[in-house]
Amino acid sequence: MRFAVFSLILALVLGVLGLYVHRRASRLLGLGVRARRALACLLAAGIIAMISARFGRGALPDGVLRGMGLGGSTLSLGVLISAVLLAVVDLGRLIARLGRAALGRATAAALADGGTARPADTASHPAERGAQEDGGPAALPLPPPVELPTLARRDFLATGAAGSAFLIGGGSAVYGALIGRHDYTIEEVAIPIPGLPRSLDGFTIVQLSDIHLGLFVGEPEMRAAEDLVREARGDLVVMTGDLVDFDPRYAEHLGRLTRRLGPLARHGVAAIPGNHDHFAGIDAALGALERGGARVLSNRGCVVGGPGGAFALLGVDDVWARGRVPGGGPDLGRAIADVPRDLPRVLLCHNPVFFPDAAGEVALQLSGHTHGGQINLLVRPADLVLPHGYVAGLYQRGGSHLYINRGFGTAGPPARVGAPPEVSRIVLVAA
């Protein structure tokens, strides 16, 4: 029900943006009636295909749904980006028009106050005055200066800007869907951990987050994840939530992936849930992790290491579950109670918004959730809207560190622009 309501709202928003883009494209290209209708049908088909692919599992083969969803989502994303860029162009034109109007009014007022009208018998040009003074024939008046066609130039610039908006919007959407979402990187960062035993100096945690197993993240992406984790050569693999997108039938994929990742690290796999795991069905997601051999740390803790040196690995439930799921939500105190209090602590928490609560209690928090903004064209809007500005990378607060993984899969449109998917290689340094 929740996803159906969200899909309806999304369709309405995209419909309004589609009307705007349709109007601007029709004017730019000079489309006739038939071409306008064809464009309208294409834009509507993109929205329908994108949403139908999410609900159509079982009615059509997954391959067909994947193609529908990818095509529809790419088209809709292109409309969204183009609409934003066109709005910037139109806003600029409006500001320029208002500025010219204000300047014109100011100039007219200055002329009216200055009394610039000339007497009728005053010659309009020095040559004309000279001829009259000499008694000779009046000289022909000089032609007025030629004015540049400013209106035509403005129209040309506006047309070029609008055309560029369409090209950038469509090109970015295609790039993000076909290339950007598979442009995987391994990000390595060394983080000092006060109290970490020297025997664990250099201990490496490989972090996977926001895999979103589902229609657009399947076996090819799972193989890529496995290869990247193997390349990262970690001592421990952690999965920090949003492991299943929204369909519980993909939980079995999560179990298979977990079993394949376990042998790649000597301390195995630890995992926590995210908000999408709750959307998909928390029991299905956590059950798949446990059957795959992962340690599920939902408000739990465990000790990593041995007599020669150890640290506490803690995990909490997602903040979305607080107040929505009986007994749900993060409970850091309960997780800390599972481990000796004198050990340095590393916390797994899906949403970085919890960091102000954890800072001072843990040395390091590993999070995901944000996808690094996922679609960042020239600017990163997430910097302006996410709490505390926690978007991607390393942050510090109260002597504690927060690292935010950009995620491996996608949510919403299956595309990434300016936020490549990552596997994090976290190197703990004794401090």
Side-chain angles (χ1 to χ4, degrees), residues 227-318:
D227 291 340
L228 288 164
V229 170
R230 181 181 291 107
E231 181 182 347
R233 300 172 61 185
D235 298 301
L236 170 69
V237 176
V238 298
M239 304 166 78
T240 50
D242 278 7
L243 309 177
V244 181
D245 195 16
F246 73 94
D247 190 336
R249 289 171 290 187
Y250 287 100
E252 61 185 72
H253 293 66
L254 177 58
R256 292 206 305 270
L257 176 61
T258 305
R259 280 191 293 273
R260 286 151 60 172
L261 296 179
L264 302 182
R266 60 192 177 100
H267 290 280
V269 178
I272 59 168
N275 54 301
H276 274 258
D277 302 310
H278 281 280
F279 301 161
I282 191 64
D283 292 337
L286 298 187
L289 286 168
E290 290 173 345
R291 289 191 298 273
R295 285 176 287 183
V296 177
L297 300 177
S298 184
N299 296 327
R300 301 301 304 269
C302 67
V303 175
V304 177
F311 68 90
L313 181 67
L314 313 176
V316 293
D317 194 8
D318 187 56

Side-chain angles (χ1 to χ4, degrees), residues 135 172 211 263 284 397 424:
S172 299
I211 303 173
R397 185 185 185 114
S424 307

Side-chain angles (χ1 to χ4, degrees), residues 5-163:
V5 173
F6 172 78
S7 298
L8 177 60
I9 295 173
L10 178 62
L12 291 174
V13 172
L14 288 175
V16 172
L17 295 177
L19 289 174
Y20 173 53
V21 169
H22 177 273
R23 179 171 173 268
R24 297 290 274 110
S26 299
R27 183 189 307 169
L28 177 68
L29 301 175
L31 300 181
V33 175
R34 289 186 178 179
R36 290 185 181 188
R37 289 176 180 172
L39 179 59
C41 290
L42 178 63
L43 297 178
I47 298 174
I48 294 171
M50 178 185 67
I51 294 177
S52 298
R54 296 284 189 176
F55 289 101
R57 191 179 188 202
L60 292 171
D62 279 6
V64 174
L65 294 175
R66 190 175 298 111
M68 288 173 52
L70 188 60
S73 297
T74 302
L75 180 58
S76 297
L77 179 59
V79 167
L80 175 61
I81 297 175
S82 297
V84 171
L85 295 176
L86 286 169
V88 173
V89 171
D90 289 346
L91 180 61
R93 293 180 66 190
L94 176 62
I95 292 174
R97 188 180 300 117
L98 293 175
R100 288 194 300 269
L103 181 61
R105 287 192 298 270
T107 302
L111 291 175
D113 293 341
T116 57
R118 296 178 307 169
D121 58 347
T122 301
S124 61
H125 194 273
E128 186 177 346
R129 290 197 303 270
Q132 291 175 356
E133 291 171 358
D134 295 340
L140 293 174
L142 296 176
V146 178
E147 294 186 1
L148 295 175
T150 56
L151 184 59
R153 184 170 66 250
R154 290 175 194 148
D155 287 343
F156 173 77
L157 293 175
T159 300

Side-chain angles (χ1 to χ4, degrees), residues 323-338:
R324 294 183 175 93
V325 177
D331 188 343
L332 182 58
R334 179 182 168 193
I336 291 175
D338 282 346

